[in-house]
Amino acid sequence: MRDDIQRQVLGAFLVVLKPVVRILLRYGIGFREFSEIAKTAFVDVASSDFGLRGRPTNISRVAVMTGLTRKEVRRIRDKIDDGKHTVIVKQTPMWDILHYWHADREFLNSAGRPSVLPFSGESNSFSSLVRQYGGDIPPGAMRTELKRVGAIEEDEQGNLSVLKRTFRPEGDHESLVASLVHAVYPLVATVSHNTDPDRVGSTWAQRIAFSQAVKTDDVPRLKRIAADRIGAFSESIDDLFMAYETLSEPEPRDEGTLTIAVGVFYFEDRETSKNYKW
């Protein structure tokens, strides 16, 4: 019975890993590099999540659980302790400017939409927005970059209007890293939590709507409708997060706070149905 369950779980991971491998090969990453990362994940989780009496799992137990040698476990734990596998996702100041332009009441109109802002001014201006949320970036440089990526436009009087709530990061690899960390990881972490019989607390919200009977001719229209609704929903959640963020100001962000994510996904099954059924 246990072997059958393991085969089903591994079969499901085979389906999940195919698009992962497609991405890795696209960036010239082969099995050797992926194997090292997989070993690191096994050692990290086995060490931190399966200890006794609140202490990290010792090297011998990690070796037994993962099937790696004690020498290999020690080598990988040393790399983890040195921070050599830390992933850094760049959140540029432009993201913060667009976020708070849509969320901070100082920069919203009476209808709750982003105001058209004059460039200069001590308050209710683009310059004051940048001073509050743009770090040490000069307002002129921020205006130039946001115009370059098509996120804002400037009229003849120099007033600025926001066109987008977000934008695609520079380079496909940056978009990939952000998507993996901010979308794929939260989803998989939620699945791990909800299927853990020893979890602490209740399950987390996890919903998906799907159909296996949509006509091919209807897919483009359905995709457009889904994109519009996903966009509207994500913006409403972003507004909700912003409301709770303002409640905690000016407390330090790292004290007593948690990272929370809500994800909405659209998916077209192009190949997995022959390998794995919903």
mmCIF file of all heavy atoms in Angstrom, residues 70-114:
data_model
loop_
_atom_site.group_PDB
_atom_site.id
_atom_site.type_symbol
_atom_site.label_atom_id
_atom_site.label_comp_id
_atom_site.label_asym_id
_atom_site.label_seq_id
_atom_site.Cartn_x
_atom_site.Cartn_y
_atom_site.Cartn_z
ATOM 1 N N ARG A 70 26.755 10.612 5.000
ATOM 2 C CA ARG A 70 26.981 11.586 6.061
ATOM 3 C C ARG A 70 27.948 12.669 5.596
ATOM 4 O O ARG A 70 27.809 13.853 5.934
ATOM 5 C CB ARG A 70 27.515 10.889 7.312
ATOM 6 C CG ARG A 70 26.509 9.928 7.930
ATOM 7 C CD ARG A 70 27.084 9.127 9.087
ATOM 8 N NE ARG A 70 27.327 9.980 10.245
ATOM 9 C CZ ARG A 70 28.532 10.332 10.678
ATOM 10 N NH1 ARG A 70 29.607 9.931 10.022
ATOM 11 N NH2 ARG A 70 28.660 11.076 11.747
ATOM 12 N N LYS A 71 28.961 12.286 4.790
ATOM 13 C CA LYS A 71 29.923 13.255 4.260
ATOM 14 C C LYS A 71 29.229 14.272 3.367
ATOM 15 O O LYS A 71 29.509 15.477 3.438
ATOM 16 C CB LYS A 71 31.017 12.514 3.486
ATOM 17 C CG LYS A 71 32.064 13.432 2.886
ATOM 18 C CD LYS A 71 33.119 12.625 2.142
ATOM 19 C CE LYS A 71 34.172 13.538 1.518
ATOM 20 N NZ LYS A 71 35.199 12.753 0.774
ATOM 21 N N GLU A 72 28.303 13.797 2.529
ATOM 22 C CA GLU A 72 27.568 14.684 1.634
ATOM 23 C C GLU A 72 26.648 15.609 2.418
ATOM 24 O O GLU A 72 26.522 16.798 2.114
ATOM 25 C CB GLU A 72 26.766 13.860 0.620
ATOM 26 C CG GLU A 72 26.158 14.650 -0.512
ATOM 27 C CD GLU A 72 27.157 15.000 -1.595
ATOM 28 O OE1 GLU A 72 28.378 14.942 -1.333
ATOM 29 O OE2 GLU A 72 26.727 15.336 -2.696
ATOM 30 N N VAL A 73 25.992 15.074 3.429
ATOM 31 C CA VAL A 73 25.110 15.896 4.258
ATOM 32 C C VAL A 73 25.905 16.994 4.945
ATOM 33 O O VAL A 73 25.491 18.167 4.970
ATOM 34 C CB VAL A 73 24.386 15.028 5.304
ATOM 35 C CG1 VAL A 73 23.633 15.909 6.305
ATOM 36 C CG2 VAL A 73 23.417 14.073 4.631
ATOM 37 N N ARG A 74 27.062 16.638 5.497
ATOM 38 C CA ARG A 74 27.896 17.640 6.167
ATOM 39 C C ARG A 74 28.354 18.727 5.188
ATOM 40 O O ARG A 74 28.343 19.919 5.511
ATOM 41 C CB ARG A 74 29.110 16.961 6.801
ATOM 42 C CG ARG A 74 29.971 17.917 7.647
ATOM 43 C CD ARG A 74 31.136 17.192 8.297
ATOM 44 N NE ARG A 74 30.681 16.283 9.353
ATOM 45 C CZ ARG A 74 30.658 14.959 9.224
ATOM 46 N NH1 ARG A 74 31.058 14.384 8.081
ATOM 47 N NH2 ARG A 74 30.240 14.196 10.203
ATOM 48 N N ARG A 75 28.744 18.330 3.975
ATOM 49 C CA ARG A 75 29.184 19.297 2.978
ATOM 50 C C ARG A 75 28.068 20.280 2.631
ATOM 51 O O ARG A 75 28.281 21.499 2.575
ATOM 52 C CB ARG A 75 29.637 18.566 1.706
ATOM 53 C CG ARG A 75 30.068 19.500 0.563
ATOM 54 C CD ARG A 75 30.368 18.730 -0.705
ATOM 55 N NE ARG A 75 29.176 18.151 -1.305
ATOM 56 C CZ ARG A 75 28.343 18.835 -2.084
ATOM 57 N NH1 ARG A 75 28.564 20.125 -2.344
ATOM 58 N NH2 ARG A 75 27.286 18.248 -2.611
ATOM 59 N N ILE A 76 26.871 19.755 2.428
ATOM 60 C CA ILE A 76 25.747 20.610 2.043
ATOM 61 C C ILE A 76 25.315 21.502 3.200
ATOM 62 O O ILE A 76 25.000 22.683 3.001
ATOM 63 C CB ILE A 76 24.576 19.737 1.540
ATOM 64 C CG1 ILE A 76 24.971 19.048 0.223
ATOM 65 C CG2 ILE A 76 23.322 20.581 1.335
ATOM 66 C CD1 ILE A 76 23.964 18.040 -0.264
ATOM 67 N N ARG A 77 25.327 20.964 4.422
ATOM 68 C CA ARG A 77 24.952 21.797 5.571
ATOM 69 C C ARG A 77 25.939 22.945 5.757
ATOM 70 O O ARG A 77 25.547 24.060 6.118
ATOM 71 C CB ARG A 77 24.856 20.947 6.826
ATOM 72 C CG ARG A 77 23.709 19.977 6.755
ATOM 73 C CD ARG A 77 22.883 19.767 7.985
ATOM 74 N NE ARG A 77 23.476 19.722 9.253
ATOM 75 C CZ ARG A 77 22.848 19.183 10.331
ATOM 76 N NH1 ARG A 77 21.637 18.627 10.185
ATOM 77 N NH2 ARG A 77 23.397 19.204 11.499
ATOM 78 N N ASP A 78 27.200 22.705 5.485
ATOM 79 C CA ASP A 78 28.186 23.783 5.574
ATOM 80 C C ASP A 78 27.884 24.870 4.556
ATOM 81 O O ASP A 78 28.008 26.068 4.854
ATOM 82 C CB ASP A 78 29.593 23.227 5.359
ATOM 83 C CG ASP A 78 30.097 22.400 6.530
ATOM 84 O OD1 ASP A 78 29.509 22.514 7.624
ATOM 85 O OD2 ASP A 78 31.064 21.627 6.356
ATOM 86 N N LYS A 79 27.474 24.485 3.338
ATOM 87 C CA LYS A 79 27.135 25.469 2.311
ATOM 88 C C LYS A 79 25.896 26.267 2.709
ATOM 89 O O LYS A 79 25.825 27.474 2.481
ATOM 90 C CB LYS A 79 26.914 24.779 0.970
ATOM 91 C CG LYS A 79 28.170 24.189 0.350
ATOM 92 C CD LYS A 79 27.886 23.518 -0.980
ATOM 93 C CE LYS A 79 27.509 24.523 -2.037
ATOM 94 N NZ LYS A 79 27.382 23.898 -3.375
ATOM 95 N N ILE A 80 24.928 25.573 3.300
ATOM 96 C CA ILE A 80 23.711 26.266 3.745
ATOM 97 C C ILE A 80 24.054 27.269 4.838
ATOM 98 O O ILE A 80 23.584 28.414 4.823
ATOM 99 C CB ILE A 80 22.667 25.249 4.245
ATOM 100 C CG1 ILE A 80 22.172 24.388 3.081
ATOM 101 C CG2 ILE A 80 21.497 25.970 4.909
ATOM 102 C CD1 ILE A 80 21.264 23.253 3.506
ATOM 103 N N ASP A 81 24.887 26.844 5.794
ATOM 104 C CA ASP A 81 25.274 27.741 6.886
ATOM 105 C C ASP A 81 26.034 28.960 6.381
ATOM 106 O O ASP A 81 25.955 30.047 6.977
ATOM 107 C CB ASP A 81 26.125 26.985 7.909
ATOM 108 C CG ASP A 81 25.337 25.920 8.663
ATOM 109 O OD1 ASP A 81 24.091 26.024 8.675
ATOM 110 O OD2 ASP A 81 25.961 24.993 9.212
ATOM 111 N N ASP A 82 26.760 28.803 5.267
ATOM 112 C CA ASP A 82 27.516 29.919 4.691
ATOM 113 C C ASP A 82 26.647 30.821 3.821
ATOM 114 O O ASP A 82 27.127 31.829 3.286
ATOM 115 C CB ASP A 82 28.690 29.396 3.851
ATOM 116 C CG ASP A 82 29.774 28.760 4.715
ATOM 117 O OD1 ASP A 82 29.795 29.046 5.928
ATOM 118 O OD2 ASP A 82 30.569 27.957 4.189
ATOM 119 N N GLY A 83 25.361 30.446 3.651
ATOM 120 C CA GLY A 83 24.448 31.263 2.849
ATOM 121 C C GLY A 83 24.685 31.203 1.366
ATOM 122 O O GLY A 83 24.295 32.113 0.623
ATOM 123 N N LYS A 84 25.299 30.126 0.884
ATOM 124 C CA LYS A 84 25.638 30.048 -0.535
ATOM 125 C C LYS A 84 24.465 29.656 -1.419
ATOM 126 O O LYS A 84 24.586 29.658 -2.637
ATOM 127 C CB LYS A 84 26.789 29.047 -0.729
ATOM 128 C CG LYS A 84 28.095 29.503 -0.098
ATOM 129 C CD LYS A 84 29.224 28.514 -0.353
ATOM 130 C CE LYS A 84 30.524 29.013 0.251
ATOM 131 N NZ LYS A 84 31.642 28.057 0.028
ATOM 132 N N HIS A 85 23.331 29.292 -0.811
ATOM 133 C CA HIS A 85 22.159 28.944 -1.617
ATOM 134 C C HIS A 85 21.006 29.912 -1.375
ATOM 135 O O HIS A 85 19.849 29.571 -1.595
ATOM 136 C CB HIS A 85 21.714 27.505 -1.317
ATOM 137 C CG HIS A 85 22.594 26.465 -1.934
ATOM 138 N ND1 HIS A 85 22.618 26.232 -3.289
ATOM 139 C CD2 HIS A 85 23.489 25.628 -1.387
ATOM 140 C CE1 HIS A 85 23.483 25.265 -3.561
ATOM 141 N NE2 HIS A 85 24.027 24.890 -2.432
ATOM 142 N N THR A 86 21.328 31.128 -0.918
ATOM 143 C CA THR A 86 20.296 32.122 -0.690
ATOM 144 C C THR A 86 19.827 32.710 -2.015
ATOM 145 O O THR A 86 20.639 33.087 -2.855
ATOM 146 C CB THR A 86 20.827 33.254 0.207
ATOM 147 O OG1 THR A 86 21.260 32.700 1.458
ATOM 148 C CG2 THR A 86 19.743 34.290 0.471
ATOM 149 N N VAL A 87 18.513 32.778 -2.205
ATOM 150 C CA VAL A 87 17.928 33.373 -3.411
ATOM 151 C C VAL A 87 17.480 34.788 -3.085
ATOM 152 O O VAL A 87 16.743 35.011 -2.127
ATOM 153 C CB VAL A 87 16.727 32.551 -3.926
ATOM 154 C CG1 VAL A 87 16.094 33.239 -5.123
ATOM 155 C CG2 VAL A 87 17.185 31.146 -4.285
ATOM 156 N N ILE A 88 17.938 35.738 -3.868
ATOM 157 C CA ILE A 88 17.572 37.139 -3.674
ATOM 158 C C ILE A 88 16.698 37.582 -4.843
ATOM 159 O O ILE A 88 17.112 37.512 -5.996
ATOM 160 C CB ILE A 88 18.813 38.030 -3.579
ATOM 161 C CG1 ILE A 88 19.675 37.606 -2.378
ATOM 162 C CG2 ILE A 88 18.416 39.496 -3.454
ATOM 163 C CD1 ILE A 88 20.986 38.370 -2.269
ATOM 164 N N VAL A 89 15.483 37.994 -4.537
ATOM 165 C CA VAL A 89 14.572 38.503 -5.564
ATOM 166 C C VAL A 89 14.557 40.021 -5.476
ATOM 167 O O VAL A 89 14.230 40.586 -4.433
ATOM 168 C CB VAL A 89 13.152 37.955 -5.369
ATOM 169 C CG1 VAL A 89 12.232 38.497 -6.446
ATOM 170 C CG2 VAL A 89 13.169 36.435 -5.402
ATOM 171 N N LYS A 90 14.926 40.668 -6.572
ATOM 172 C CA LYS A 90 14.995 42.117 -6.572
ATOM 173 C C LYS A 90 13.593 42.707 -6.709
ATOM 174 O O LYS A 90 12.894 42.435 -7.664
ATOM 175 C CB LYS A 90 15.894 42.601 -7.710
ATOM 176 C CG LYS A 90 17.353 42.215 -7.553
ATOM 177 C CD LYS A 90 18.210 42.854 -8.620
ATOM 178 C CE LYS A 90 17.916 42.309 -9.986
ATOM 179 N NZ LYS A 90 18.818 42.860 -11.025
ATOM 180 N N GLN A 91 13.204 43.515 -5.725
ATOM 181 C CA GLN A 91 11.947 44.257 -5.783
ATOM 182 C C GLN A 91 12.320 45.713 -6.023
ATOM 183 O O GLN A 91 12.754 46.403 -5.109
ATOM 184 C CB GLN A 91 11.163 44.101 -4.475
ATOM 185 C CG GLN A 91 9.757 44.646 -4.540
ATOM 186 C CD GLN A 91 8.799 43.683 -5.197
ATOM 187 O OE1 GLN A 91 9.195 42.788 -5.913
ATOM 188 N NE2 GLN A 91 7.515 43.874 -4.946
ATOM 189 N N THR A 92 12.217 46.179 -7.236
ATOM 190 C CA THR A 92 12.714 47.497 -7.582
ATOM 191 C C THR A 92 11.825 48.586 -6.990
ATOM 192 O O THR A 92 10.636 48.365 -6.726
ATOM 193 C CB THR A 92 12.766 47.670 -9.107
ATOM 194 O OG1 THR A 92 11.429 47.750 -9.605
ATOM 195 C CG2 THR A 92 13.509 46.520 -9.765
ATOM 196 N N PRO A 93 12.394 49.789 -6.778
ATOM 197 C CA PRO A 93 11.577 50.903 -6.279
ATOM 198 C C PRO A 93 10.387 51.212 -7.179
ATOM 199 O O PRO A 93 9.374 51.736 -6.691
ATOM 200 C CB PRO A 93 12.580 52.064 -6.235
ATOM 201 C CG PRO A 93 13.907 51.418 -6.087
ATOM 202 C CD PRO A 93 13.812 50.138 -6.871
ATOM 203 N N MET A 94 10.485 50.904 -8.479
ATOM 204 C CA MET A 94 9.358 51.173 -9.376
ATOM 205 C C MET A 94 8.123 50.379 -8.960
ATOM 206 O O MET A 94 6.989 50.862 -9.085
ATOM 207 C CB MET A 94 9.744 50.858 -10.821
ATOM 208 C CG MET A 94 10.734 51.842 -11.412
ATOM 209 S SD MET A 94 10.911 51.681 -13.217
ATOM 210 C CE MET A 94 11.734 50.090 -13.335
ATOM 211 N N TRP A 95 8.332 49.138 -8.465
ATOM 212 C CA TRP A 95 7.195 48.346 -7.992
ATOM 213 C C TRP A 95 6.497 49.071 -6.843
ATOM 214 O O TRP A 95 5.261 49.147 -6.789
ATOM 215 C CB TRP A 95 7.665 46.976 -7.512
ATOM 216 C CG TRP A 95 8.070 46.033 -8.590
ATOM 217 C CD1 TRP A 95 9.346 45.789 -9.041
ATOM 218 C CD2 TRP A 95 7.222 45.184 -9.367
ATOM 219 N NE1 TRP A 95 9.340 44.844 -10.035
ATOM 220 C CE2 TRP A 95 8.048 44.460 -10.254
ATOM 221 C CE3 TRP A 95 5.846 44.970 -9.392
ATOM 222 C CZ2 TRP A 95 7.540 43.544 -11.165
ATOM 223 C CZ3 TRP A 95 5.342 44.054 -10.295
ATOM 224 C CH2 TRP A 95 6.177 43.352 -11.169
ATOM 225 N N ASP A 96 7.296 49.603 -5.910
ATOM 226 C CA ASP A 96 6.711 50.286 -4.757
ATOM 227 C C ASP A 96 5.974 51.555 -5.180
ATOM 228 O O ASP A 96 4.899 51.859 -4.644
ATOM 229 C CB ASP A 96 7.811 50.637 -3.749
ATOM 230 C CG ASP A 96 8.336 49.417 -3.014
ATOM 231 O OD1 ASP A 96 7.562 48.456 -2.857
ATOM 232 O OD2 ASP A 96 9.511 49.428 -2.613
ATOM 233 N N ILE A 97 6.525 52.298 -6.129
ATOM 234 C CA ILE A 97 5.859 53.517 -6.583
ATOM 235 C C ILE A 97 4.488 53.194 -7.172
ATOM 236 O O ILE A 97 3.480 53.823 -6.832
ATOM 237 C CB ILE A 97 6.730 54.257 -7.614
ATOM 238 C CG1 ILE A 97 8.011 54.784 -6.966
ATOM 239 C CG2 ILE A 97 5.945 55.407 -8.255
ATOM 240 C CD1 ILE A 97 7.771 55.744 -5.827
ATOM 241 N N LEU A 98 4.427 52.201 -8.042
ATOM 242 C CA LEU A 98 3.149 51.832 -8.655
ATOM 243 C C LEU A 98 2.181 51.281 -7.614
ATOM 244 O O LEU A 98 0.969 51.546 -7.667
ATOM 245 C CB LEU A 98 3.385 50.801 -9.764
ATOM 246 C CG LEU A 98 4.169 51.308 -10.975
ATOM 247 C CD1 LEU A 98 4.428 50.171 -11.959
ATOM 248 C CD2 LEU A 98 3.427 52.452 -11.668
ATOM 249 N N HIS A 99 2.703 50.513 -6.677
ATOM 250 C CA HIS A 99 1.839 49.937 -5.630
ATOM 251 C C HIS A 99 1.180 51.041 -4.800
ATOM 252 O O HIS A 99 -0.046 51.060 -4.626
ATOM 253 C CB HIS A 99 2.672 49.024 -4.739
ATOM 254 C CG HIS A 99 1.954 48.538 -3.516
ATOM 255 N ND1 HIS A 99 0.944 47.596 -3.559
ATOM 256 C CD2 HIS A 99 2.087 48.863 -2.203
ATOM 257 C CE1 HIS A 99 0.494 47.358 -2.344
ATOM 258 N NE2 HIS A 99 1.172 48.114 -1.504
ATOM 259 N N TYR A 100 1.984 51.965 -4.300
ATOM 260 C CA TYR A 100 1.432 52.986 -3.404
ATOM 261 C C TYR A 100 0.655 54.064 -4.164
ATOM 262 O O TYR A 100 -0.209 54.715 -3.580
ATOM 263 C CB TYR A 100 2.551 53.602 -2.573
ATOM 264 C CG TYR A 100 3.063 52.653 -1.516
ATOM 265 C CD1 TYR A 100 4.284 52.004 -1.672
ATOM 266 C CD2 TYR A 100 2.305 52.370 -0.380
ATOM 267 C CE1 TYR A 100 4.748 51.111 -0.722
ATOM 268 C CE2 TYR A 100 2.757 51.478 0.575
ATOM 269 C CZ TYR A 100 3.975 50.849 0.399
ATOM 270 O OH TYR A 100 4.423 49.960 1.347
ATOM 271 N N TRP A 101 0.937 54.245 -5.420
ATOM 272 C CA TRP A 101 0.128 55.166 -6.233
ATOM 273 C C TRP A 101 -1.295 54.636 -6.343
ATOM 274 O O TRP A 101 -2.262 55.393 -6.463
ATOM 275 C CB TRP A 101 0.757 55.320 -7.603
ATOM 276 C CG TRP A 101 0.334 56.536 -8.389
ATOM 277 C CD1 TRP A 101 -0.769 57.315 -8.182
ATOM 278 C CD2 TRP A 101 1.026 57.110 -9.496
ATOM 279 N NE1 TRP A 101 -0.817 58.339 -9.101
ATOM 280 C CE2 TRP A 101 0.274 58.235 -9.927
ATOM 281 C CE3 TRP A 101 2.195 56.782 -10.186
ATOM 282 C CZ2 TRP A 101 0.675 59.018 -11.011
ATOM 283 C CZ3 TRP A 101 2.589 57.560 -11.252
ATOM 284 C CH2 TRP A 101 1.831 58.674 -11.663
ATOM 285 N N HIS A 102 -1.453 53.332 -6.295
ATOM 286 C CA HIS A 102 -2.787 52.720 -6.350
ATOM 287 C C HIS A 102 -3.396 52.502 -4.967
ATOM 288 O O HIS A 102 -4.572 52.129 -4.873
ATOM 289 C CB HIS A 102 -2.722 51.364 -7.057
ATOM 290 C CG HIS A 102 -2.610 51.463 -8.545
ATOM 291 N ND1 HIS A 102 -1.415 51.678 -9.200
ATOM 292 C CD2 HIS A 102 -3.553 51.368 -9.518
ATOM 293 C CE1 HIS A 102 -1.614 51.707 -10.505
ATOM 294 N NE2 HIS A 102 -2.902 51.529 -10.727
ATOM 295 N N ALA A 103 -2.615 52.679 -3.901
ATOM 296 C CA ALA A 103 -3.093 52.246 -2.592
ATOM 297 C C ALA A 103 -3.079 53.336 -1.524
ATOM 298 O O ALA A 103 -3.924 53.315 -0.621
ATOM 299 C CB ALA A 103 -2.251 51.049 -2.113
ATOM 300 N N ASP A 104 -2.142 54.265 -1.574
ATOM 301 C CA ASP A 104 -2.043 55.304 -0.554
ATOM 302 C C ASP A 104 -3.097 56.371 -0.834
ATOM 303 O O ASP A 104 -3.139 56.963 -1.906
ATOM 304 C CB ASP A 104 -0.632 55.914 -0.571
ATOM 305 C CG ASP A 104 -0.396 56.826 0.628
ATOM 306 O OD1 ASP A 104 -1.353 57.486 1.085
ATOM 307 O OD2 ASP A 104 0.755 56.889 1.090
ATOM 308 N N ARG A 105 -3.925 56.664 0.173
ATOM 309 C CA ARG A 105 -5.031 57.597 -0.024
ATOM 310 C C ARG A 105 -4.576 59.002 -0.430
ATOM 311 O O ARG A 105 -5.329 59.740 -1.071
ATOM 312 C CB ARG A 105 -5.865 57.673 1.258
ATOM 313 C CG ARG A 105 -6.804 56.486 1.438
ATOM 314 C CD ARG A 105 -7.489 56.520 2.775
ATOM 315 N NE ARG A 105 -6.551 56.261 3.865
ATOM 316 C CZ ARG A 105 -6.911 56.139 5.147
ATOM 317 N NH1 ARG A 105 -8.180 56.270 5.492
ATOM 318 N NH2 ARG A 105 -6.015 55.892 6.068
ATOM 319 N N GLU A 106 -3.347 59.361 -0.077
ATOM 320 C CA GLU A 106 -2.843 60.679 -0.463
ATOM 321 C C GLU A 106 -2.779 60.837 -1.973
ATOM 322 O O GLU A 106 -2.900 61.960 -2.498
ATOM 323 C CB GLU A 106 -1.451 60.902 0.124
ATOM 324 C CG GLU A 106 -0.837 62.249 -0.254
ATOM 325 C CD GLU A 106 0.563 62.445 0.298
ATOM 326 O OE1 GLU A 106 0.960 61.682 1.211
ATOM 327 O OE2 GLU A 106 1.262 63.362 -0.189
ATOM 328 N N PHE A 107 -2.618 59.721 -2.686
ATOM 329 C CA PHE A 107 -2.417 59.778 -4.133
ATOM 330 C C PHE A 107 -3.598 59.199 -4.902
ATOM 331 O O PHE A 107 -3.475 58.854 -6.069
ATOM 332 C CB PHE A 107 -1.115 59.055 -4.496
ATOM 333 C CG PHE A 107 0.063 59.564 -3.726
ATOM 334 C CD1 PHE A 107 0.556 58.850 -2.645
ATOM 335 C CD2 PHE A 107 0.651 60.780 -4.050
ATOM 336 C CE1 PHE A 107 1.635 59.336 -1.920
ATOM 337 C CE2 PHE A 107 1.727 61.267 -3.328
ATOM 338 C CZ PHE A 107 2.217 60.548 -2.250
ATOM 339 N N LEU A 108 -4.763 59.123 -4.229
ATOM 340 C CA LEU A 108 -5.985 58.640 -4.866
ATOM 341 C C LEU A 108 -6.980 59.783 -5.019
ATOM 342 O O LEU A 108 -7.004 60.716 -4.216
ATOM 343 C CB LEU A 108 -6.610 57.514 -4.037
ATOM 344 C CG LEU A 108 -5.755 56.267 -3.779
ATOM 345 C CD1 LEU A 108 -6.516 55.279 -2.902
ATOM 346 C CD2 LEU A 108 -5.339 55.622 -5.087
ATOM 347 N N ASN A 109 -7.840 59.667 -6.047
ATOM 348 C CA ASN A 109 -8.883 60.679 -6.217
ATOM 349 C C ASN A 109 -10.126 60.297 -5.421
ATOM 350 O O ASN A 109 -10.125 59.296 -4.690
ATOM 351 C CB ASN A 109 -9.206 60.877 -7.696
ATOM 352 C CG ASN A 109 -9.656 59.583 -8.368
ATOM 353 O OD1 ASN A 109 -10.205 58.681 -7.728
ATOM 354 N ND2 ASN A 109 -9.433 59.501 -9.681
ATOM 355 N N SER A 110 -11.173 61.073 -5.565
ATOM 356 C CA SER A 110 -12.396 60.833 -4.775
ATOM 357 C C SER A 110 -13.057 59.506 -5.117
ATOM 358 O O SER A 110 -13.833 58.972 -4.320
ATOM 359 C CB SER A 110 -13.392 61.975 -4.998
ATOM 360 O OG SER A 110 -13.714 62.096 -6.379
ATOM 361 N N ALA A 111 -12.759 58.964 -6.296
ATOM 362 C CA ALA A 111 -13.328 57.675 -6.701
ATOM 363 C C ALA A 111 -12.448 56.503 -6.260
ATOM 364 O O ALA A 111 -12.761 55.346 -6.552
ATOM 365 C CB ALA A 111 -13.516 57.631 -8.214
ATOM 366 N N GLY A 112 -11.348 56.811 -5.569
ATOM 367 C CA GLY A 112 -10.463 55.744 -5.108
ATOM 368 C C GLY A 112 -9.501 55.243 -6.165
ATOM 369 O O GLY A 112 -8.872 54.194 -5.985
ATOM 370 N N ARG A 113 -9.369 55.986 -7.260
ATOM 371 C CA ARG A 113 -8.444 55.619 -8.331
ATOM 372 C C ARG A 113 -7.194 56.491 -8.255
ATOM 373 O O ARG A 113 -7.216 57.564 -7.650
ATOM 374 C CB ARG A 113 -9.108 55.797 -9.701
ATOM 375 C CG ARG A 113 -10.437 55.056 -9.860
ATOM 376 C CD ARG A 113 -10.266 53.558 -9.679
ATOM 377 N NE ARG A 113 -9.331 52.999 -10.635
ATOM 378 C CZ ARG A 113 -8.862 51.767 -10.567
ATOM 379 N NH1 ARG A 113 -9.208 50.971 -9.570
ATOM 380 N NH2 ARG A 113 -8.029 51.327 -11.495
ATOM 381 N N PRO A 114 -6.090 56.054 -8.853
ATOM 382 C CA PRO A 114 -4.866 56.860 -8.815
ATOM 383 C C PRO A 114 -5.084 58.250 -9.419
ATOM 384 O O PRO A 114 -5.633 58.387 -10.502
ATOM 385 C CB PRO A 114 -3.881 56.034 -9.658
ATOM 386 C CG PRO A 114 -4.389 54.627 -9.567
ATOM 387 C CD PRO A 114 -5.884 54.741 -9.514
#
